[in-house]
Amino acid sequence: MSRRLALTVTPELAGTKVDTLLKRHLQLSGTVVRRIKWLEDGILVDGVRVNTRFCPEAGQVLSVRLSDPVRNSGIVPAPGPLDIVCEDEDLIVLNKAAGVSVHPGPGHFDDTLGNFLVYYYETSGQEADFHPVHRLDRGTSGLIVSAKHPHAQEILKNQLHTEDFRRVYLAVCEGVPAPPAGVIDAPLGPRPGSLMEQMVRPDGKSARTRYRVLRRWGDRALVSLELETGRTHQIRVHMAHTGHPLAGDFLYGTENQELIGRPALHSGYLSFLHPITKAKLEFSLPLPEDMARLKL
């Protein structure tokens, strides 16, 4: 089944162009409208295809297709574990396992969250594709949301770095930050000569991270962190910059496979406004076992 939105034309809206109804009353962007208007059943009035210049009468029903009839992501479907926290026609919220990449790339062609999701949609008969809203590093566990169609993805991406979209991370760092709460404001950019590593540099992009020490665990601390910007490796670089790298961080701290096999970072809280209903959705997850063990 395709995902559609419908609008019954009221007397006040009678005679208004479809293009205006789609953009002002169904909140579709110009990009989405341009994509769907070429589809055979992209824009219908009372079940009949119309163009964007058509002006429906009062009582007629305008409906628009949101889902893609063909998956355009090009991602190869591959079976893999999915821990689904919440799902509806427009989005899916997952608890990502540490060690799983979000996007296919070099060395990870068919073992990523994108591959697993496309396979899940295909085998469950869903007309959906992989439309990521944000990302998590491969070593980071926890909450992540992916849209099922471009309209939902666009709306959710526009919420990023606003009060409507909140991401709170839990981390275990070496040492105890002082003061126990504050804002790390340090621009980030690539480290010369490295394909992966980032660093604090005056000519970098603005980056701000709010932190709060939740409790002391011996020579370490459990810290809550919230992003005000979304730079690559932002939390890891910022914490290392303060002298408190994340436990197990092979790139910005000290690798210790016996302690933990990845940087101790977990996406523990996520909230956003639903792209269609506008209802506020909130999700939280406890610390995963490998991070909880660090307090011992």
Side-chain angles (χ1 to χ4, degrees):
M1 289 287 291
S2 63
R3 175 63 168 124
R4 304 188 71 86
L5 279 184
L7 174 70
T8 299
V9 179
T10 63
E12 294 77 20
L13 296 178
T16 304
K17 287 183 179 180
V18 162
D19 186 68
T20 302
L21 294 174
L22 294 176
K23 293 176 182 176
R24 291 187 184 174
H25 298 278
L26 291 180
Q27 282 76 55
L28 271 65
S29 70
T31 301
V32 170
V33 171
R34 284 191 294 274
R35 179 185 63 84
I36 62 174
K37 71 180 183 179
W38 299 110
L39 302 176
E40 190 66 32
D41 62 346
I43 304 171
L44 306 177
V45 171
D46 287 348
V48 178
R49 186 182 183 184
V50 298
N51 60 39
T52 54
R53 298 184 302 277
F54 183 80
C55 300
E57 300 174 0
Q60 290 191 301
V61 177
L62 167 67
S63 79
V64 56
R65 170 193 269 272
L66 298 181
S67 55
D68 293 310
V70 177
R71 292 190 182 93
N72 296 311
S73 64
I75 293 176
V76 175
L82 288 177
D83 185 354
I84 299 173
V85 177
C86 177
E87 179 183 13
D88 65 15
E89 295 177 289
D90 304 296
L91 57 87
I92 188 166
V93 178
L94 301 163
N95 176 15
K96 187 186 86 67
V100 176
S101 296
V102 174
H103 303 267
H108 296 280
F109 177 69
D110 60 0
D111 61 353
T112 72
L113 207 63
N115 301 113
F116 304 160
L117 268 177
V118 170
Y119 179 85
Y120 169 67
Y121 295 149
E122 189 172 273
T123 55
S124 60
Q126 297 190 51
E127 193 176 75
D129 203 351
F130 182 50
H131 297 284
V133 175
H134 58 122
R135 65 183 300 276
L136 297 176
D137 290 345
R138 185 159 68 93
T140 303
S141 58
L143 293 162
I144 186 170
V145 58
S146 181
K148 291 188 175 182
H149 52 77
H151 178 54
Q153 181 189 40
E154 192 170 85
I155 291 177
L156 289 171
K157 277 196 166 186
N158 287 338
Q159 292 181 27
L160 285 172
H161 312 307
T162 73
E163 292 182 356
D164 292 334
F165 197 107
R166 289 190 63 206
R167 291 172 287 170
V168 181
Y169 293 80
L170 297 172
V172 179
C173 68
E174 301 293 349
V176 182
V183 177
I184 305 167
D185 189 347
L188 301 179
R191 181 176 295 280
S194 174
L195 296 176
M196 181 188 306
E197 197 171 353
Q198 303 292 302
M199 64 180 292
V200 172
R201 46 189 293 174
D203 61 342
K205 294 180 179 179
S206 172
R208 287 171 57 88
T209 305
R210 281 184 275 155
Y211 76 90
R212 181 166 58 93
V213 175
L214 299 178
R215 60 184 66 94
R216 183 169 185 159
W217 283 355
D219 294 332
R220 303 187 186 93
L222 177 65
V223 184
S224 168
L225 303 117
E226 187 163 3
L227 298 172
E228 292 187 10
T229 54
R231 309 303 177 198
T232 300
H233 296 176
Q234 179 173 317
I235 288 175
R236 297 165 63 187
V237 180
H238 271 176
M239 292 305 293
H241 179 65
T242 66
H244 301 283
L246 302 191
D249 194 334
F250 63 93
L251 197 58
Y252 303 105
T254 302
E255 182 176 15
N256 186 341
Q257 290 288 334
E258 294 182 0
L259 183 71
I260 187 170
R262 48 116 174 184
L265 185 61
H266 177 67
S267 174
Y269 173 87
L270 176 66
S271 71
F272 53 87
L273 301 183
H274 191 280
I276 306 300
T277 69
K278 309 307 177 189
K280 183 178 181 179
L281 302 179
E282 293 183 275
F283 308 95
S284 61
L285 292 172
L287 272 182
E289 183 181 350
D290 63 344
M291 286 179 61
R293 284 200 307 265
L294 295 174
K295 68 181 178 182
L296 301 176

